[in-house]
Amino acid sequence: MSRVQDLLLTAPGELRVSRRAPALPALGADDVLVEVDRITLCGSDHRLYDGTYGGPRSYPIRFGHEWAGRVVDTGPGGRDLLGQWVTGDCSRWCGACPGCRTDRNLCRNIEKFGITVDGFSTRRKVVDRRYLYPDTCALGAGLLALSEFFAVADHGLRRLAPAPDDDVLIVGAGALGLASYLLLTGQHHVRSVRLLEQDPDKAARVRQLFPGALVQPPPRPDDRATGYADLAEGADHPVVVECSGSEAGLNTALVLARPRGRVLCFGLRRRTEVRTDLLVVKGLTLIGSIGGTGSFGAVHAFLDTHREQAARLVTHRAPADAAEQAFAAPAAGDPADVRIKTQITFGEEDQ
């Protein structure tokens, strides 16, 4: 078990590792005290660390919104959760605004755990029970801490509503792309799903992890089109899911989507130059999606029946004592060092 009690990102590239636990607030009626076992790093955690995160963010911040822990104390409204393993939302929604009545991920008063308000990179954390989801499938800490990003993928794919006979292209074979791949093939039963990945080391790693996956490099950009028909040349995918979070990835998705196709975008960048000529001329539908609130129950059931596949996404682990190593860049030219998901552990669970 790590002796570290708290990880605080004070500024980009500056991580304070402490063996002293921060002071905790008194438990309110619906509060619970969670003993955090581990957090799973998200791309947003890495970008907070290197200072490139494109959305609203705060420093200093306790990062981590993908996590698993055990309830060790509660207020009177949370007694049924005492002793249970739980995970939780990234979104801290209010539950009262017009946005919450349609989709709590679009709450007008929303904050994001680990991004705009303190998250779970700490051994003990007080949180309102409404943001928590108990482990009803006995997933164990390792799989439970994958729930949030699978929920993000599930929430977006439900808005996209793919059909089994759709030819789906995923741009970006990182964790969110692979979660989308597993959900598309295992839950939506889509028969044709391909992945595009620019990094050859990551592509090689994904082929090792999922030998049945079709992983290809993206096509070279071609801006020489001079006529309207040229803009649709080679565009034959009715559904494209953009998971790279890059400007190039989004525009690749627009290039490869066929006329009247649908493009789902998960990326969050403050400034991006979008090929609106492709969007307009091909009559594309561009769908943005954020958050996984509302999908945790379905995702837990999915993880329960796809345990071995989902577990492959955790390629690296580090104790909280060595948290800085979890943010280190992988060695170039070594597919084995490519990180899909890294978990930082506080506890002693080996799942």
Side-chain angles (χ1 to χ4, degrees):
M1 180 187 296
S2 170
R3 283 183 257 178
V4 167
Q5 297 294 306
D6 193 57
L7 299 171
L8 182 70
L9 192 57
T10 58
E14 298 179 10
L15 182 62
R16 191 187 75 186
V17 180
S18 177
R19 294 186 179 184
R20 178 175 296 179
L24 294 173
L27 292 174
D30 293 322
D31 285 340
V32 304
L33 176 62
V34 175
E35 187 173 72
V36 177
D37 180 80
R38 70 190 63 200
I39 57 174
T40 304
L41 293 184
C42 174
S44 60
D45 297 312
H46 286 280
R47 287 187 281 274
L48 284 168
Y49 184 82
D50 65 26
T52 62
Y53 183 70
R57 71 279 190 198
S58 299
Y59 297 98
I61 192 78
R62 290 176 176 88
F63 57 93
H65 57 268
E66 301 173 17
W67 61 279
R70 189 169 58 88
V71 175
V72 295
D73 197 5
T74 76
R79 299 297 186 204
D80 57 308
L81 292 179
L82 189 62
Q84 292 199 47
W85 284 87
V86 294
T87 188
D89 280 323
C90 173
S91 300
R92 194 180 76 179
W93 38 268
C94 72
C97 72
C100 281
R101 288 195 286 272
T102 57
D103 183 349
R104 285 174 172 168
N105 298 282
L106 303 179
C107 172
R108 292 185 180 178
N109 305 300
I110 202 161
E111 299 287 353
K112 294 287 184 177
F113 288 113
I115 300 174
T116 62
V117 296
D118 277 341
F120 293 83
S121 63
T122 191
R123 183 61 164 148
R124 292 197 164 198
K125 168 81 173 173
V126 173
V127 61
D128 191 305
R129 66 162 297 157
R130 63 178 170 171
Y131 303 119
L132 300 182
Y133 304 93
D135 181 12
T136 58
C137 297
L139 296 173
L143 285 178
L144 190 62
L146 303 183
S147 302
E148 197 276 337
F149 79 96
F150 267 92
V152 170
D154 180 80
H155 180 72
L157 292 173
R158 288 178 186 275
R159 291 191 60 202
L160 190 64
D165 59 352
D166 280 334
D167 181 10
V168 180
L169 183 69
I170 298 173
V171 180
L176 192 56
L178 290 172
S180 298
Y181 169 78
L182 292 177
L183 288 165
L184 283 164
T185 56
Q187 180 166 278
H188 296 274
H189 308 294
V190 177
R191 291 182 285 272
S192 176
V193 183
R194 283 179 278 179
L195 291 142
L196 293 186
E197 177 52 54
Q198 185 171 2
D199 183 340
D201 290 339
K202 182 179 287 186
R205 182 65 165 143
V206 171
R207 292 188 191 101
Q208 291 172 356
L209 294 170
F210 300 97
L214 182 57
V215 188
Q216 302 170 326
R220 293 181 179 179
D222 186 354
D223 296 325
R224 295 173 295 175
T226 58
Y228 285 108
D230 296 334
L231 294 175
E233 184 69 26
D236 54 4
H237 295 278
V239 177
V240 185
V241 182
E242 204 297 295
C243 297
S244 74
S246 68
E247 178 180 302
L250 177 56
N251 284 315
T252 295
L254 298 178
V255 166
L256 297 177
R258 77 183 185 190
R260 298 191 67 81
R262 291 164 290 154
V263 176
L264 172 63
C265 178
F266 288 113
L268 187 62
R269 294 178 65 88
R270 181 157 292 185
R271 295 179 179 86
T272 298
E273 187 173 319
V274 177
R275 289 283 304 275
T276 55
D277 57 336
L278 297 165
L279 185 66
V280 173
V281 168
K282 292 198 285 184
L284 301 176
T285 298
L286 180 59
I287 302 168
S289 185
I290 191 170
T293 304
S295 282
F296 278 80
V299 159
H300 284 177
F302 178 82
L303 292 173
D304 186 28
T305 55
H306 294 78
R307 291 172 181 253
E308 190 271 337
Q309 287 178 302
R312 295 180 208 169
L313 299 183
V314 181
T315 55
H316 293 73
R317 292 181 178 85
D321 313 65
E324 287 187 336
Q325 296 178 16
F327 290 100
D334 183 3
D337 198 42
V338 169
R339 302 178 184 193
I340 304 299
K341 277 293 188 182
T342 299
Q343 291 187 336
I344 297 176
T345 57
F346 290 95
E348 55 190 5
E349 295 295 314
D350 59 1
Q351 300 166 306

